Amino acid sequence: MTITCFIRYEIDPFQLDAFRTYAENWGRIIPRCGGHLVGYFLPSEGSNYEAWGLIAFDSLAAYEAYRQRLRADAQGRANFESAQRQRFILREERRFTEVVAGTFERAALPPPERCASEPQP
């Protein structure tokens, strides 16, 4: 994927379940409309009002085509309308990012017997 749409949400912390349902709905809608859904993320510790959604595309043109399909999608429109009715999203910001080569989806390596930063006995 060439670009990722990074969406930062400020959400009502008393409506986390409503946002979870909203995000789960996108889990079905976004791939069908042509977006590579990296994932939606809810707060766990620390801030209780920020959530994120990451959707990747091959290009800005692919993103624009996705937006057209999304506008025409009945379930997508219903999900947007539900969020507006319930008012659990207080603010939404979109940024477009590109991945740094060699850093995306790098799995953890098995830890060595002793980490180099551990003090010597």
Side-chain angles (χ1 to χ4, degrees):
M1 298 286 118
T2 302
I3 63 165
T4 300
C5 180
F6 186 101
I7 309 167
R8 178 187 171 273
Y9 298 93
E10 286 185 20
I11 59 174
D12 179 343
F14 299 102
Q15 295 194 62
L16 290 179
D17 287 338
F19 187 86
R20 182 186 314 275
T21 299
Y22 173 79
E24 288 170 349
N25 290 340
W26 288 129
R28 294 182 299 279
I29 299 164
I30 290 170
R32 184 177 67 240
C33 290
H36 172 82
L37 181 59
V38 177
Y40 272 80
F41 303 87
L42 282 170
S44 177
E45 279 191 49
S47 164
N48 66 350
Y49 65 91
E50 284 186 309
W52 301 271
L54 284 82
I55 311 164
F57 301 92
D58 290 329
S59 65
L60 280 175
Y63 169 73
E64 291 301 328
Y66 155 83
R67 294 288 291 174
Q68 291 290 340
R69 288 189 293 274
L70 193 59
R71 281 188 206 98
D73 188 90
Q75 289 179 339
R77 284 194 314 274
N79 206 34
F80 277 125
E81 291 166 4
S82 176
Q84 288 175 334
R85 268 193 319 279
Q86 295 179 67
R87 296 180 168 220
F88 52 83
I89 298 172
L90 308 176
R91 183 175 177 180
E92 181 177 323
E93 300 171 358
R94 291 173 187 266
R95 302 217 182 335
F96 290 86
T97 62
E98 61 182 68
V99 70
V100 175
T103 66
F104 188 63
E105 295 184 346
R106 298 287 307 243
L109 299 174
E113 254 183 67
R114 172 191 274 142
C115 186
S117 63
E118 290 179 12
Q120 298 293 326

